[in-house]
Amino acid sequence: MAESTRTGRLRERYRRALRSGYTWVSPRRWLRRLVFWGGAIAVGFAATVFAILGFYADEAFHDAIATNRWLSLAILPAGVALIAFVTQRLFPGSQGSGIPQTIAALQLDDGPARGKLLSMRIAMGKMLLTTLGLLSGASVGREGPTVQIGASIMHSLGRFARFPSHEISRGLILAGAAAGVAAAFNTPLAGIVFAIEELSRSFEHRTTGTVITAVIFAGVTSLAVLGNYTYFGETTAALSIEQGWLAILVCGAAGGLLGGAFARMLLAMSAGLPGRIGRWIGDRPVAFAAACGMVLALIGIASGDTTYGTGYQQAKLLLEGSSDVPQSFGILKLLATLVSFVSGIPGGIFAPSLAIGAGLGANLAHILPDTPAGALVLLGVVAYFTGVVQAPLTAFIIVMEMTANHGMVFPLMATALIAQGASRLVCKEPLYKGLAEGFLKRTTGSVGSHQNNARNRDARNHAE
């Protein structure tokens, strides 16, 4: 009996070895690998093209208002209204950040419903309209849209190559989104952590290899075109916990509360305003977008023309200790980003949030004069960004990689944890999760049924 059992085990091992060997020589599996690798390279290339287009669009707007700053009163209303019109008519599903749409798509089992959130048409619209937003001076970023673009590319290629449905539904979408973050910021670790912490809100060991491979291919493609760079340059700012515990507490609490308040306002406005005002906005979205563009122009003029675009340049100047950025920059950038979001145009809040955090840190330097200003700016960036998205791991890793500053790891970690706790006092629900549920409602008419589908799918995967 024992001999028979041993023989059976040996036969089973032999069969497994044969099946394992077959997977390495199977033409269909190699075709899928090539499609996947090509998709990851395509994501990196798309992110690189998007970055270049965004840079020149932002430069073109600032060159225009440099000749006459009052031109913003004409450019912004017309530009934002045009983008809102084109979004509704030609690219529905491309509005907003792009990250909530990706999270919503991960919860869907229905292919046609997922196609309303992730497709090549939406990816093209996202890139075009966000670039137009930067050309018009709106306070938007390209990093969140790059997440949806990356997820759309991988999802579309997966359907084209007829990948198994469970690979399309999670692995490919997660990989494309993570590759988008990594290529947009040149931060490979942040791309992986973002996929785990924010997009999936869980760790699935079967998808990590897919995510890491996509990040590598997309990152290498970006490096081949743009070279090895740090998003905000390099900073040598340093702060020990013993020296700066007060700064960590103050920045963490202030950034978390402010970021949480911002997230709560976005969630409230995404649900629509009540009463007559809400009905007017629903009936005349293009006119409302034009009004938002006028408000953005007025905010920009009040800020000394600093709140237009991503805020990258202002954040970089603050990190370098420049005094060219006004003290009001942080709060005015927050207002400009809020107005840009509610206007209904495509555009992310990643880069603007980093800039707002830098402005907050610069403000706090006046009440904490014994703490290095550069260190406070970094703490402000991490604190506010964590407060907005409630993803502390992503926040401190992305800032660490963007500045090539490993000496601030522990202060950044401590600040992020404090900011997360403070944010939850103001906003109980994570921003992207709440926005994703809104997209699920509009896409399918039911959130609960798809949450049940997601739980059932996870149970099946666990059983397998």
Side-chain angles (χ1 to χ4, degrees), residues 311-360:
Y312 163 80
Q313 189 61 38
Q314 287 73 30
K316 193 170 186 296
L317 288 172
L318 289 171
L319 280 170
E320 294 170 352
S322 173
S323 59
D324 293 338
V325 182
Q327 290 296 309
S328 60
F329 168 75
I331 191 64
L332 291 178
K333 184 67 176 174
L334 185 152
L335 294 175
T337 306
L338 182 65
V339 173
S340 297
F341 177 87
V342 301
S343 70
I345 66 173
I349 60 172
F350 248 64
S353 293
L354 298 175
I356 295 166
L360 173 65

Side-chain angles (χ1 to χ4, degrees), residues 69-376:
R69 64 184 310 214
W70 302 103
L71 280 175
S72 62
L73 294 171
I75 295 174
L76 269 156
V80 175
L82 174 63
I83 295 166
F85 176 80
V86 175
T87 299
Q88 291 202 342
R89 292 298 180 93
L90 300 179
F91 301 105
S94 65
Q95 66 270 27
S97 164
I99 295 173
Q101 291 95 315
T102 304
I103 295 173
L106 288 167
Q107 301 298 321
L108 292 169
D109 289 326
D110 181 38
R114 193 182 298 123
K116 296 178 182 178
L117 301 172
L118 300 177
S119 69
M120 291 304 297
R121 177 184 59 80
I122 288 176
M124 292 177 63
K126 200 79 172 184
M127 184 180 296
L128 170 65
L129 296 174
T130 304
T131 302
L132 286 176
L134 292 171
L135 184 62
S136 302
S139 180
V140 295
R142 58 177 173 79
E143 292 75 22
T146 305
V147 170
Q148 189 179 14
I149 291 169
S152 294
I153 290 173
M154 295 297 280
H155 170 68
S156 300
L157 286 176
R159 289 177 63 85
F160 173 77
R162 297 182 180 179
F163 276 49
S165 59
H166 69 276
E167 291 184 30
I168 293 175
S169 63
R170 290 196 67 81
L172 287 177
I173 295 173
L174 278 172
V181 172
F185 283 112
N186 189 32
T187 53
L189 285 178
I192 295 168
V193 173
F194 180 73
I196 296 169
E197 184 180 36
E198 184 58 56
L199 295 177
S200 66
R201 291 278 170 181
S202 64
F203 184 87
E204 295 189 29
H205 69 278
R206 293 190 298 176
T207 64
T208 54
T210 304
V211 169
I212 292 171
T213 304
V215 166
I216 291 172
F217 275 92
V220 168
T221 303
S222 176
L223 290 174
V225 179
L226 298 178
N228 192 14
Y229 69 97
T230 49
Y231 189 86
F232 279 143
E234 296 187 11
T235 175
T236 58
L239 183 70
S240 66
I241 292 183
E242 295 83 2
Q243 174 196 11
W245 63 269
L246 181 59
I248 291 170
L249 287 173
V250 172
C251 287
L257 291 172
L258 187 62
F262 177 77
R264 185 163 182 172
M265 285 188 287
L266 290 190
L267 288 172
M269 292 182 176
S270 67
L273 296 176
R276 188 173 299 175
I277 296 177
R279 289 193 297 272
W280 183 84
I281 294 172
D283 294 338
R284 298 174 177 82
V286 176
F288 175 70
C292 289
M294 181 60 69
V295 173
L296 287 173
L298 294 173
I299 293 173
I301 291 170
S303 72
D305 301 329
T306 59
T307 58
Y308 303 123
T310 63
Y312 163 80
Q313 189 61 38
Q314 287 73 30
K316 193 170 186 296
L317 288 172
L318 289 171
L319 280 170
E320 294 170 352
S322 173
S323 59
D324 293 338
V325 182
Q327 290 296 309
S328 60
F329 168 75
I331 191 64
L332 291 178
K333 184 67 176 174
L334 185 152
L335 294 175
T337 306
L338 182 65
V339 173
S340 297
F341 177 87
V342 301
S343 70
I345 66 173
I349 60 172
F350 248 64
S353 293
L354 298 175
I356 295 166
L360 173 65
N363 292 146
L364 293 175
H366 291 279
I367 64 173
L368 296 168
D370 295 332
T371 307
L376 282 170

